């Protein structure tokens, strides 16, 4: 079920199947989980009777069944939730029991069931090649997968949030925020609130890139993986922006080179497996990559090619050996590598 279809069901509170909210975008999963609660539960005073929540990777199926059988109080509907579910690691007997309960949902038509999976707790596969578990569950569940948002989607979403706060913001500022904070919508939401409060406290109605640098915290994505992301996107400008930020934080050049070597090594391994004719499922199993991350790396590996990846990795090895033998050292080596290879 697409997000658009889920929105339509929310408007009329028509949930003919049980729901699974999956994918990597936890912020959107929480948002729609809250929207479903508002749509289903009519009176907060009776939440303790009409809202059952199971939280954790595992769940007691018997307790879940008991929650379904108990009718709602002073309401037509009740909501039964399982949050942070790890569906992939469920015992097969529990999966079968859950599906059998869903198949008999007409026995408890008052119950709306929502399962929210961990980001890595349900491998849904792809639209063209859904996973076995996705196929198994899709007959009884409406499954909505919330993929990581694109930069364009995030920039538009950020602008709307600033507009709602009454804060004016331009494209350079939005890009600076996205680069510094990363792509987590939850973290971005918190930083937008922080920036908006900062602007209002100083009597202003707009913010700029300087405010972003002064107010917002960098994230792991920005610090450790920004250059890796630039490699995958073949974006030289983004690579130098990342290097500049890492210089300011005094991250040692050898740490940066180590991250580059790790990324190129992973890309080369994936490229070689692609050359062997391995498909995404095989590569994910061998490399132990999450499907979403693997999709990005496979796309980059195909674009760059095995020969170029091998040459780049060999050059990193030569740079490391040369620096230890008294050759060029420091950030200059990283700059030269970026200019030549990305």
């Amino acid at each position: 079920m697409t997000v658009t279809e889920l929105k339509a069901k929310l408007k009329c509170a028509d949930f003919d199947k049980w729901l699974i909210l999956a994918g990597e975008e936890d912020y959107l999963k929480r948002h729609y989980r809250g929207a479903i609660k508002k749509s289903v539960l009519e009176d907060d005073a009776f939440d303790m009777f009409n809202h059952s929540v199971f939280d954790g990777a595992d769940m007691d199926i018997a307790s879940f069944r008991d929650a379904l059988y108990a009718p709602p109080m002073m309401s037509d509907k009740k909501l039964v939730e399982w949050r942070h579910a790890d569906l992939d690691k469920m015992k097969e007997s529990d999966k079968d029991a859950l599906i059998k309960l869903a198949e008999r949902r007409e026995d408890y038509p008052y119950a709306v069931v929502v399962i929210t999976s961990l980001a890595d707790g349900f491998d849904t596969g792809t639209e063209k090649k859904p996973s076995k578990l996705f196929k198994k569950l899709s007959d009884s569940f409406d499954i909505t997968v919330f993929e990581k948002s694109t930069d364009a989607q995030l920039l538009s979403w950020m602008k709307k949030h600033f507009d709602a706060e009454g804060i004016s913001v331009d494209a350079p500022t939005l890009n600076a925020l996205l680069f510094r904070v990363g792509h987590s919508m939850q973290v971005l939401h918190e930083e937008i609130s922080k920036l908006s409060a900062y602007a209002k406290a100083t009597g202003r109605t707009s913010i700029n890139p300087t405010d972003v640098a002064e107010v917002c915290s960098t994230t792991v994505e920005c610090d450790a993986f920004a250059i890796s992301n630039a490699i995958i996107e073949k974006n030289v400008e983004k690579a130098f922006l990342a290097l500049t930020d890492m210089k300011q934080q005094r991250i040692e050049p050898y740490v940066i080179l180590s991250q580059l070597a790790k990324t190129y090594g992973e890309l080369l391994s994936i490229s070689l497996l692609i050359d062997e004719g391995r498909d995404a499922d095989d590569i994910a199993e061998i490399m132990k990559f999450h499907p979403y991350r693997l999709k990005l790396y496979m796309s980059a590996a195909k674009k760059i090619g095995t020969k170029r990846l091998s040459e780049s990795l060999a050059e990193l090895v030569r740079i490391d050996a040369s620096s230890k033998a008294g050759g060029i050292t420091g950030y200059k080596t990283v700059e030269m590598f970026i200019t030549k290879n990305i």
Side-chain angles (χ1 to χ4, degrees):
M1 180 171 65
T2 66
V3 175
T4 301
E5 290 169 338
L6 176 58
K7 288 179 179 178
K9 286 182 177 289
L10 281 168
K11 286 182 179 179
C12 58
D14 175 25
F15 304 106
D16 53 326
K17 288 186 179 181
W18 289 1
L19 306 172
I20 295 178
L21 308 181
E24 289 194 288
E25 194 50 81
D26 290 329
Y27 177 89
L28 288 178
K29 286 188 288 187
R30 284 193 296 272
H31 170 78
Y32 281 99
R33 191 176 69 203
I36 292 166
K37 179 183 175 183
K38 282 185 179 180
S39 177
V40 173
L41 300 181
E42 301 169 351
D43 191 337
D44 293 345
F46 293 97
D47 274 10
M48 63 182 296
F49 302 106
N50 297 330
H51 188 198
S52 300
V53 179
F54 299 85
D55 203 332
D58 301 316
M59 184 183 60
D60 181 353
I61 293 293
S63 297
F64 186 77
R65 184 186 297 112
D66 291 342
L68 291 173
Y69 287 154
M73 179 176 288
M74 303 298 289
S75 175
D76 293 331
K77 298 285 184 182
K78 68 177 297 183
L79 179 63
V80 180
E81 286 191 70
W82 177 14
R83 301 175 180 175
H84 307 107
D86 194 335
L87 297 172
D88 285 338
K89 292 184 179 179
M90 282 182 77
K91 295 178 181 177
E92 288 302 319
S93 58
D94 285 342
K95 290 177 186 175
D96 292 338
L98 180 63
I99 290 170
K100 286 180 180 177
L101 283 172
E103 288 173 346
R104 295 180 54 193
R105 58 189 175 276
E106 291 182 359
D107 293 347
Y108 15 83
Y110 47 78
V112 175
V113 175
V114 180
I115 298 175
T116 309
S117 73
L118 292 166
D120 58 354
F122 182 19
D123 177 8
T124 58
T126 64
E127 186 175 350
K128 292 183 178 179
K129 191 176 181 181
S131 68
K132 291 181 180 178
L133 183 56
F134 184 96
K135 292 178 181 177
K136 192 172 184 179
L137 293 171
S138 59
D139 287 339
S140 304
F141 292 84
D142 275 329
I143 305 171
T144 303
V145 182
F146 296 93
E147 302 284 6
K148 282 289 185 184
S149 301
T150 64
D151 284 9
Q153 289 170 332
L154 286 173
L155 292 169
S156 175
W157 174 80
M158 290 157 60
K159 180 68 166 58
K160 290 177 182 177
H161 276 260
F162 277 117
D163 288 345
E165 293 281 357
I167 302 298
S168 176
V169 60
D170 58 14
T173 303
L174 290 172
N175 279 291
L177 178 58
L178 186 60
F179 175 76
R180 186 169 183 81
V181 172
H183 291 69
S184 166
M185 293 182 80
Q186 181 61 43
V187 177
L188 283 167
H189 182 264
E190 292 167 359
E191 295 297 333
I192 289 169
S193 297
K194 189 194 298 184
L195 281 166
S196 299
Y198 172 76
K200 292 173 184 177
T202 54
R204 296 157 55 198
T205 58
S206 65
I207 58 168
N208 56 52
T210 301
D211 297 324
V212 172
E214 291 178 352
V215 174
C216 297
S217 304
T218 57
T219 62
V220 171
E221 179 182 341
C222 176
D223 295 342
F225 301 112
I227 282 187
S228 295
N229 292 338
I231 293 169
I232 293 167
E233 297 172 22
K234 290 188 65 64
N235 190 321
V236 177
E237 181 182 359
K238 183 176 284 189
F240 274 105
L241 283 170
L243 181 58
T244 299
D245 198 62
M246 295 169 91
K247 282 182 183 178
Q248 291 173 350
Q249 296 178 67
R250 298 184 180 180
I251 297 175
E252 294 290 342
Y254 76 87
V255 174
I256 303 172
L257 288 168
S258 176
Q259 180 64 39
L260 286 168
K262 180 176 184 293
T263 302
Y264 273 99
E266 290 172 337
L267 284 167
L268 178 59
S269 296
I270 289 170
S271 186
L272 289 168
L273 289 168
I274 292 172
D275 292 345
E276 290 179 8
R278 304 289 189 121
D279 62 15
D281 291 338
D282 289 338
I283 297 173
E285 178 64 26
I286 294 167
M287 298 292 295
K288 306 302 180 186
F289 266 40
H290 187 276
Y292 177 78
R293 185 181 175 214
L294 178 62
K295 181 169 64 176
L296 297 178
Y297 272 61
M298 286 184 70
S299 176
K302 290 174 182 177
K303 289 179 182 177
I304 300 171
T306 301
K307 183 175 182 294
R308 184 71 183 275
L309 287 168
S310 180
E311 290 171 350
S312 296
L313 185 58
E315 184 167 351
L316 284 167
V317 173
R318 287 196 297 272
I319 290 171
D320 181 60
S322 176
S323 64
K324 291 175 181 176
I328 299 174
T329 59
Y331 295 111
K332 187 67 176 178
T333 58
V334 182
E335 293 170 353
M336 292 170 62
F337 179 84
I338 290 172
T339 301
K340 181 179 178 181
N341 291 274
I342 295 182

